[in-house]
Amino acid sequence: MIGEESRESRFSRSLANHAKAGAYYTDPAHCKAMYRFLEFPKEEEATCLDPSIGDGKALKSACGKEEGDGKKLFGVDLSKEAVRTAGSDPLMEQVIEGDFVRDVIISQKSFSFIFSNPPYMAAEDGARYEEKFLERFTPLLKTGGVLLYVIPYGQFTTPKLFLKLFNRYEVLQVYRFQEREYQKFHQVVIMAVKRSANANLTGTQRDELLSQYLVEEDLPELPFDYDGDRIPVPAGSASQVVSFTTAEFPAGEALLAMNDESRISGEIVRNHRQTVGARISAEKWKGAVMGRPPIHPNKGSMYLLGICGAGTGRCGDEDAGTMHLERGVVKMIDESRRVMPEKDDGPEQIVVTRRAQVTYNVIEADGRITNLS
């Protein structure tokens, strides 16, 4: 929104730093142990997602991915290095870079299985990422789809997250990591199946369920030699994942494809337009539709014309040699300023103000380009 202000705390800045510095990946031995609880379809595909995929090893281990099987693996990560590593793995279907909570567009109800070990921290609005990830990936999972959610025990027993989890999922088992690994982050893995409809638990029902998990030491350790009944993972075709992209156009990928002299660059552009064009783009330029105004538009008119995707198009007199083209562009600009705390022990904040910047590009017959802002 124009003139809108948002406040970014140390937590959101540290999330970006977290992506740059590297993440703590899930212990591979525990991921392999989780796979022993799952039964994937043998003759059909299954779509698998990790919304903070890291190097991809955790997802591959948790779903038992092998070359030639029907499991199609997808991932998202904030780290360029992680995306480069996981994306270069031939066993991965697709890996994209972005903030899973805010920056990606993914087809709903298109995944059979989700493995998630989200950032253990709070977002700028104070909500925990464990809760935000749960809210964000739940619509992406099919009814009957299987979730393995690795989070700290203290967050699992938070009443708000606990209620959301048990409302949307049938929780089959909760294990804590084996003692040596558990002492690092007090991680538990929640094994659950997505319900067909919300359970609408009352506060009393939630508290009764929660009471079963309030003694931390009573939680069983994840067995490494499990050989009991398995949780069936439903089939899911990669063709059902129609949208799997970031909201920002992948210019780098397109440029690399163009330099490689392949036709895939055009495919990247087309796919991005089909997926997100209607959501974030203005209509195509409507040259001459608005007629020829007697004077150049003022700032207010320029803004209205720009956001409507309409303008004068070709202008001038060809006989007089004054023909030129006009094109308006509206960009949203974020301007930041530091706000010191009112109290000595208060948090330092960054205030971000968003405004619209309107630019008109005038292209004259001799090729000269003038920018009017």
Side-chain angles (χ1 to χ4, degrees):
M1 296 294 291
I2 301 170
E4 179 183 2
E5 291 190 350
S6 61
R7 292 179 181 265
E8 182 183 27
S9 69
R10 292 191 183 94
F11 287 119
S12 60
R13 292 199 300 275
S14 60
L15 178 62
N17 294 335
H18 177 79
K20 294 177 184 177
Y24 294 99
Y25 297 154
T26 317
D27 177 61
H30 283 74
C31 292
K32 290 179 181 179
M34 296 174 203
Y35 172 61
R36 299 177 68 94
F37 285 80
L38 306 176
E39 184 68 42
F40 282 85
K42 291 182 173 58
E43 304 297 331
E44 298 177 275
E45 290 183 357
T47 44
C48 309
L49 171 68
D50 186 340
S52 51
I53 196 166
D55 59 11
K57 293 179 181 178
L59 178 60
K60 288 194 297 182
S61 297
C63 69
K65 173 63 180 176
E66 296 179 355
E67 186 174 357
D69 68 18
K71 300 162 191 144
K72 303 299 181 181
L73 276 52
F74 295 78
V76 181
D77 206 282
L78 268 172
S79 166
K80 289 181 182 293
E81 183 60 33
V83 171
R84 188 179 300 113
T85 300
S88 63
D89 189 330
L91 297 184
M92 292 289 170
E93 190 75 11
Q94 189 175 355
V95 180
I96 57 176
E97 178 188 344
D99 181 343
F100 175 73
V101 174
R102 301 184 302 179
D103 295 342
V104 296
I105 299 173
I106 301 176
S107 301
Q108 295 194 0
K109 298 182 179 180
S110 56
F111 288 94
S112 314
F113 169 74
I114 291 179
F115 173 88
S116 180
N117 183 359
Y120 302 158
M121 59 196 303
E124 60 268 22
D125 59 3
R128 296 282 303 190
Y129 274 100
E130 295 92 336
E131 184 180 336
K132 284 180 172 287
F133 267 62
L134 177 65
E135 292 176 344
R136 182 69 179 87
F137 65 58
T138 292
L140 310 182
L141 192 62
K142 292 172 173 285
T143 297
V146 176
L147 169 67
L148 295 184
Y149 201 29
V150 178
I151 58 176
Y153 169 79
Q155 293 305 312
F156 166 61
T157 53
T158 300
K160 188 177 179 182
L161 184 145
F162 189 92
L163 181 60
K164 289 181 179 180
L165 182 65
F166 276 75
N167 264 335
R168 296 303 290 122
Y169 294 89
E170 180 186 356
V171 176
L172 304 180
Q173 188 56 270
V174 180
Y175 288 105
R176 64 175 180 161
F177 279 22
Q178 297 216 4
E179 190 63 24
R180 184 173 178 179
E181 188 69 19
Y182 188 74
Q183 291 307 316
K184 296 179 182 178
F185 302 106
H186 287 247
Q187 291 167 298
V188 300
V189 56
I190 302 152
M191 302 180 179
V193 174
K194 186 179 175 181
R195 301 179 185 273
S196 59
N198 199 314
N200 293 320
L201 298 175
T202 65
T204 301
Q205 291 171 320
R206 176 204 63 198
D207 292 343
E208 290 176 355
L209 284 170
L210 183 56
S211 66
Q212 301 174 26
Y213 301 96
L214 290 180
V215 180
E216 188 174 359
E217 293 75 15
D218 286 350
L219 283 181
E221 288 188 348
L222 178 68
F224 281 16
D225 58 352
Y226 180 78
D227 196 27
D229 293 338
R230 299 197 170 201
I231 306 169
V233 177
S237 171
S239 63
Q240 296 174 326
V241 188
V242 177
S243 299
F244 194 82
T245 184
T246 57
E248 182 178 352
F249 176 68
E253 292 180 36
L255 181 60
L256 288 174
M258 291 173 68
N259 291 338
D260 196 31
E261 297 182 351
S262 69
R263 295 183 178 179
I264 196 171
S265 56
E267 183 180 342
I268 291 171
V269 174
R270 287 192 298 274
N271 289 344
H272 188 266
R273 284 176 177 169
Q274 291 172 1
T275 304
V276 302
R279 301 172 186 239
I280 65 172
S281 303
E283 295 181 14
K284 291 184 178 180
W285 190 250
K286 303 172 183 175
V289 172
M290 302 301 290
R292 298 182 180 179
I295 58 174
H296 193 79
N298 60 29
K299 288 186 178 180
S301 298
M302 287 171 65
Y303 172 72
L304 291 174
L305 289 171
I307 62 173
C308 292
T312 57
R314 291 174 49 181
C315 299
D317 189 320
E318 188 169 0
D319 293 334
T322 60
M323 287 297 297
H324 65 278
L325 293 174
E326 288 189 13
R327 175 62 191 258
V329 178
V330 178
K331 293 183 179 179
M332 302 309 294
I333 305 297
D334 288 339
E335 296 179 339
S336 303
R337 70 179 189 274
R338 189 181 302 276
V339 177
M340 302 304 293
E342 296 180 2
K343 299 179 180 180
D344 292 340
D345 59 348
E348 175 186 314
Q349 294 181 322
I350 300 296
V351 177
V352 181
T353 302
R354 173 162 291 190
R355 66 177 180 84
Q357 181 184 70
V358 184
T359 303
Y360 262 72
N361 302 310
V362 179
I363 307 173
E364 300 185 43
D366 60 2
R368 184 171 54 183
I369 300 176
T370 303
N371 300 111
L372 305 174
S373 298

